[in-house]
Amino acid sequence: MKTHAHVVVIGGGAVGMSILYHLAKAGVSDTLLIEKNELTSGSTWHAAGNIPTYANSQGGMRAGNYAWRLYKDLAQAVDAPITYRHTGAFWTAQTQERVDFYRHLVGIADTLGYDLRMLTPCEMEAMHPYYTAGTRVIGGLYDPYEGDADPSQLTQALAKGARDLGAAIARFTTVRAITRRPSGDWLVASDRGDVVCQVVVNAAGYYGRRVGQMVGQSLPIVTLEHQYLVTEALAELEADPANFPLVRDPDSMFYLRRERNGLLMGSYGHAGRAAWLDGMPDCFANQLFPDSVDDMMEVLEAALEHIPLLRQAGVRRFVNGPIPYSPDGAPLCGPAYGMPNVFHACGFPVGITHSAAAGKAIAEWISEGETEWDMAAWDPRRFGDWAGFDYAVDRACDLYEHQYAIPYPHRIWTSGRPVCQTPLAERLKTKGAVFGQVAGWERAFWFETDTVRNNGDLRFRDEAWREAARGECLGVRDRVGIMDHGGFTRFEVEGPGAGDYLNHVFCGELPAVGRVKLGYMLTPRARIWSEATIARLDEDRYLLYGPTLAAQRDHDWLRRFLPQTGVRLRLGSVFDAALMVMGPKSRDLLQPLTGDDLSRDAAPFMSVREITVAGAPARALRVSYVGELGWELHLRPADLTAVYDAIAERGADAGLVDFGSYALNAMRLEKGYRAWGADFGTEHTMFEAGLDRFVSRRKRHFVGRDAFLAQSAGPQEYHFAGFLLEDDGPDPLPSDPIYVNGQLAGHVSSAGMGFRIGSRVALGYLKRPAVPGHRVDIKIFGKPVPAIVARTPFYDPDNARLKD
């Protein structure tokens, strides 16, 4: 076995082998993959091998399409046999809501140039000789790209391709420990010797949690049971070798396809069952869990209605194997928090499909330093210490049971909660708060009223919270509102080199002492990494406030450029609680509670001061994400309740309202404020996102400067725009397509009801300059809805209310 390598990949399943192959293709061949058993062990060997392109997002669809395009030609590319069948698939719908969702997915596919399309029951029956729609199926979605591959052959082909390009593989080798040497290199110790490397990749599948522990990290990966059955050979299929589409029936909870001359049927129609809660076995390489026949029987009965051929089939075998899940169902694929040159690539519940995208992304991170696609949704750093094992188990089981549920945008997951909450949680609950969870934090999403209650209904139109949120927004517009905003990402930056350091990391000018600016961090290719509100308390003392979900991700980024001396960077703060007090009466409400002058001259817009409110010290930022006069009060958690109570007591006569995240989002949309992860990310330039005004061309040095200047001289692929919709139907969803004169012209990034202006609004990207007044159509659930390109902000365009 090699004793030195540039990269060590741990895990020889489809994901690990794809990483090795992609690294080799990228020219990184000084690599070693270590597998504790035979290649394809773990989840790979027993996987059904389906490769769907169906997904709920642009990123998911893109990953699936990359997979089938790579794998269909892999056998020829590496000269290794792969059983790969391109069959297509259709997804059936038994409810109108499911049909609407499929229409939305067709819209996402349109934005990407893919060919998903809707089907009638008759069309499904025509393309599948053994399928009967029956009376319950009312429509469906066709995925022409889906196929299935032999997972073991696929993995072995990737291995051959990697070996041919110089990669090394060590089978039957168990990693015992991973330690960092003083030089910064990593020592990977195994039962067959040690290897020193610069980069470690944890691709150990459901053993990824154990490998993570070797570098001091507790990854929220849970192993669940997933079962499918394979029938005996059927005479009809022996006589008919033709392929037919895979069938997925999410309302009946099964999928079914041809498997040689029999049928393979899998199910998510049972409760999620976590395995190994008391500890994992040392080896579970080619083993299965006991058959659970009862789990399949109810689903089998439903499947018989649509696949009568099943009645003639005997069961040849059950396959009940381990499948890894994270607390949000997405993989953990990307840099390890606080561990230079360590990457995780594990927790893939759709591992055969997503292995291709994982290989591409990890290889790009290692060889180029950043990825072509925005990988934030898969980034392991989206989970902090709050995502403990018990939480992960509860949520993963819940997700499994909802694998085929319609992913309504306002579903609030309740399992495993609460994890993190502010001292106000119980107080707000008595006032009708309906809590959701953001990065582990309990946050009031909306507040029940005497007439609007949380009935738990989920749909794409007119959910109950809308009327409550409308009242909250109007209360903020006309009077004053307060929000408990737990979970702000905070950084404190101090020291004589703080200014030079932040000037290098952020592309814009820093604020003067006592002032606040919005700043952006760019990658070396001048793609948008993240944003932060920068407040300057003193000459060498700064506060950064960033996206809640980006705490670890941004902390790693800031540490990447931190000088060895002269700057102190801290994640978190003593002032780790926050109240937003917003609205035209906010100054009148707060002034009697403080001895500090809150007048317009003393506390102008975009200023920061350390003041005392209701007897408690606070960092008061005169900023507003809702577009009204207001303050963010950052407080010590121990003072939060007393300050809230003092404000609430005085606010009773002023018509104070509590408002939640739904109202906050509606108001930021009306102001045209971009949201990280929704409206911009690493696939966007500052020009495309309409944020280039935040870049200082006078600065001589900042990350991404050369690339930014090059972009300024070139064409833009996209142009950010705001849209006013002209009907009162359902809100657009992210990635809904935008058309101009019947031609695809862009897509929506975020949208919702602007309750203060009485109109639905959308933000998004056009492939042509956005000219106010031009008309477009936004396709919502398959229906073109007229909209007008509008100047932003939609609400208070002159920002007079902000600057009062």
Side-chain angles (χ1 to χ4, degrees):
M1 188 177 79
K2 295 176 68 168
T3 58
H4 291 79
H6 180 56
V7 182
V8 168
V9 179
I10 303 170
V15 171
M17 207 55 68
S18 174
I19 293 168
L20 198 72
Y21 177 73
H22 279 83
L23 282 169
K25 293 286 286 184
V28 183
S29 58
D30 181 15
T31 54
L32 172 66
L33 183 141
I34 301 177
E35 163 56 44
K36 67 190 299 184
N37 206 277
E38 182 57 90
L39 300 184
T40 79
S41 298
S43 292
T44 297
W45 76 271
H46 66 76
N50 303 322
I51 303 177
T53 62
Y54 171 107
N56 301 338
S57 65
Q58 275 197 17
M61 278 194 194
R62 197 159 45 188
N65 272 270
Y66 180 73
W68 80 264
R69 293 177 193 276
L70 174 69
Y71 293 154
K72 71 181 177 64
D73 298 325
L74 184 64
Q76 182 177 357
V78 301
D79 190 24
I82 302 175
T83 300
Y84 178 87
R85 300 182 309 157
H86 193 141
T87 63
F90 58 74
W91 295 67
T92 67
Q94 298 179 17
T95 67
Q96 186 58 48
E97 288 280 284
R98 182 82 66 180
V99 169
D100 285 345
F101 177 62
Y102 288 164
R103 287 174 175 155
H104 166 61
L105 296 186
V106 170
I108 297 179
D110 287 347
T111 68
L112 294 168
Y114 303 150
D115 298 322
L116 302 189
R117 63 182 175 89
M118 300 299 296
L119 293 176
T120 66
C122 289
E123 288 174 317
M124 288 184 271
E125 290 179 340
M127 66 175 56
H128 195 305
Y130 309 105
Y131 179 77
T132 301
T135 58
R136 289 187 296 172
V137 174
I138 62 174
L141 175 74
Y142 182 54
D143 176 355
Y145 308 112
E146 177 150 352
D148 58 87
D150 182 298
S152 295
Q153 288 182 328
L154 175 66
T155 305
Q156 294 290 359
L158 290 166
K160 182 179 184 300
R163 283 192 184 105
D164 288 348
L165 292 170
I169 298 172
R171 300 175 301 150
F172 302 102
T173 303
T174 301
V175 173
R176 300 297 191 196
I178 305 170
T179 55
R180 195 173 186 206
R181 305 201 312 173
S183 63
D185 293 339
W186 292 93
L187 178 70
V188 179
S190 80
D191 59 353
R192 292 182 56 202
D194 300 343
V195 57
V196 175
C197 61
Q198 286 74 54
V199 181
V200 177
V201 182
N202 169 18
Y206 48 78
Y207 279 98
R209 178 178 174 83
R210 178 175 289 183
V211 174
Q213 290 169 341
M214 294 180 187
V215 294
Q217 297 193 329
S218 180
L219 301 180
I221 298 173
V222 177
T223 304
L224 304 180
E225 297 181 23
H226 177 63
Q227 185 170 231
Y228 62 85
L229 63 82
V230 180
T231 73
E232 296 174 343
L234 291 155
E236 287 87 344
L237 298 185
E238 290 179 332
D240 179 8
N243 287 328
F244 46 81
L246 180 147
V247 179
R248 294 187 193 268
D249 188 332
D251 295 304
S252 297
M253 305 289 280
F254 75 86
Y255 60 87
L256 181 142
R257 67 166 171 82
R258 180 175 194 137
E259 176 71 0
R260 298 178 181 172
N261 289 328
L263 296 171
L264 181 152
M265 190 188 83
S267 167
Y268 289 92
H270 63 82
R273 284 197 299 272
W276 306 324
L277 296 181
D278 297 326
M280 300 183 68
D282 288 336
C283 184
F284 200 80
N286 297 102
Q287 298 165 258
L288 295 171
F289 300 122
D291 296 343
S292 185
V293 178
D294 291 345
D295 286 341
M296 302 293 289
M297 290 302 100
E298 183 176 349
V299 173
L300 182 60
E301 285 298 318
L304 287 171
E305 177 183 344
H306 303 290
I307 313 289
L309 182 62
L310 272 171
R311 297 185 184 277
Q312 305 174 32
V315 176
R316 181 162 63 90
R317 62 190 173 105
F318 286 90
V319 178
N320 188 17
I323 182 171
Y325 266 72
S326 74
D328 62 6
L332 277 65
C333 183
Y337 174 55
M339 298 286 164
N341 294 323
V342 175
F343 296 85
H344 297 303
C346 46
F348 287 81
V350 194
I352 303 304
T353 300
H354 287 163
S355 59
K360 170 180 163 60
I362 296 294
E364 289 170 347
W365 258 308
I366 292 171
S367 64
E368 303 176 35
E370 53 185 286
T371 56
E372 177 188 4
W373 301 337
D374 190 333
M375 300 300 294
W378 286 12
D379 197 309
R381 296 167 295 185
R382 68 191 185 273
F383 297 114
D385 293 340
W386 55 269
F389 186 66
D390 290 343
Y391 168 82
V393 169
D394 288 346
R395 182 58 56 85
C397 290
D398 198 1
L399 286 168
Y400 184 91
E401 294 164 20
H402 288 83
Q403 180 73 26
Y404 279 160
I406 298 173
Y408 291 104
H410 298 105
R411 182 185 298 277
I412 297 177
W413 298 97
T414 58
S415 50
R417 294 171 44 202
V419 178
C420 307
Q421 54 187 345
T422 78
L424 281 178
E426 291 302 318
R427 185 73 49 90
L428 297 181
K429 191 178 298 183
T430 65
K431 300 178 78 171
V434 178
F435 286 97
Q437 188 182 51
V438 180
W441 282 92
E442 295 293 306
R443 195 175 291 171
F445 279 15
W446 61 283
F447 287 81
E448 293 181 315
T449 69
D450 292 338
T451 57
V452 181
R453 314 302 292 179
N454 180 25
N455 57 20
D457 287 348
L458 293 169
R459 51 184 181 268
F460 292 118
R461 300 165 174 82
D462 301 323
E463 290 174 317
W465 61 267
R466 292 175 65 89
E467 281 307 306
R470 181 192 305 275
E472 294 167 24
C473 291
L474 298 184
V476 172
R477 182 193 69 183
D478 299 334
R479 302 183 301 280
V480 60
I482 187 169
M483 180 181 182
D484 174 29
H485 197 284
F488 258 112
T489 292
R490 297 172 175 83
F491 298 99
E492 296 180 346
V493 184
E494 299 178 337
D500 290 341
Y501 162 64
L502 292 176
N503 260 316
H504 179 65
V505 174
F506 286 89
C507 62
E509 299 286 349
L510 298 179
V513 174
R515 304 294 292 176
V516 177
K517 282 190 175 182
L518 184 59
Y520 290 87
M521 294 175 274
L522 305 183
T523 72
R525 295 177 183 169
R527 300 284 169 161
I528 308 173
W529 178 260
S530 192
E531 69 174 357
T533 299
I534 307 171
R536 191 171 187 175
L537 291 176
D538 211 334
E539 190 65 30
D540 298 324
R541 189 171 164 226
Y542 297 83
L543 309 173
L544 310 180
Y545 300 94
T548 302
L549 279 165
Q552 290 189 352
R553 178 180 178 273
D554 286 355
H555 192 204
D556 271 350
W557 190 260
L558 290 166
R559 286 190 291 193
R560 174 177 174 178
F561 303 101
L562 189 69
Q564 293 187 348
T565 60
V567 183
R568 294 181 298 280
L569 170 67
R570 177 187 178 189
L571 171 59
S573 170
V574 172
F575 294 85
D576 258 352
L579 293 173
M580 294 182 179
V581 184
M582 302 289 161
K585 294 184 179 182
S586 58
R587 179 181 287 119
D588 295 338
L589 173 57
L590 289 174
Q591 186 62 80
L593 297 174
T594 178
D596 297 279
D597 186 357
L598 300 184
S599 67
R600 180 174 180 174
D601 291 338
F605 181 55
M606 299 300 282
S607 65
V608 59
R609 285 192 300 169
E610 294 182 300
I611 67 173
T612 300
V613 180
R619 291 169 172 170
L621 276 65
R622 174 81 159 75
V623 298
S624 175
Y625 197 48
V626 306
E628 305 284 356
L629 168 69
W631 277 262
E632 284 181 10
L633 302 176
H634 295 265
L635 305 157
R636 299 177 304 198
D639 296 326
L640 181 63
T641 301
V643 173
Y644 174 87
D645 286 346
I647 294 172
E649 182 178 356
R650 290 202 61 87
D653 294 335
L656 177 71
V657 298
D658 289 281
F659 68 96
S661 293
Y662 288 167
L664 180 71
N665 186 61
M667 290 186 280
R668 75 93 184 167
L669 284 169
E670 289 175 307
K671 293 299 294 182
Y673 294 157
R674 283 69 154 166
W676 171 79
D679 301 304
F680 66 86
T682 59
E683 292 184 31
H684 304 104
T685 71
M686 295 292 278
F687 294 101
E688 291 170 345
L691 297 170
D692 52 295
R693 67 187 184 278
F694 290 98
V695 183
S696 172
R697 290 167 172 82
R698 297 179 300 175
K699 289 172 62 171
R700 299 182 64 181
H701 302 285
F702 61 82
V703 177
R705 179 179 183 272
D706 292 345
F708 172 81
L709 294 178
Q711 291 166 0
S712 69
Q716 292 179 220
E717 183 177 1
Y718 286 104
H719 305 264
F720 195 81
F723 306 90
L724 287 169
L725 282 76
E726 296 185 342
D727 81 344
D728 58 357
D731 296 336
L733 295 177
S735 300
D736 276 343
I738 303 171
Y739 294 86
V740 175
N741 297 324
Q743 299 297 311
L744 180 69
H747 64 273
V748 170
S749 56
S750 58
M753 183 65 191
F755 296 110
R756 292 177 297 187
I757 64 174
S759 175
R760 287 183 304 144
V761 301
L763 303 177
Y765 288 87
L766 292 176
K767 295 181 179 180
R768 60 185 71 190
V771 179
H774 280 193
R775 304 186 70 82
V776 304
D777 289 312
I778 299 176
K779 189 173 284 188
I780 306 173
F781 301 126
K783 175 188 174 183
V785 175
I788 297 176
V789 178
R791 295 187 186 277
T792 55
F794 307 104
Y795 174 74
D796 186 27
D798 297 325
N799 291 323
R801 297 173 72 92
L802 274 175
K803 299 174 181 178
D804 185 22

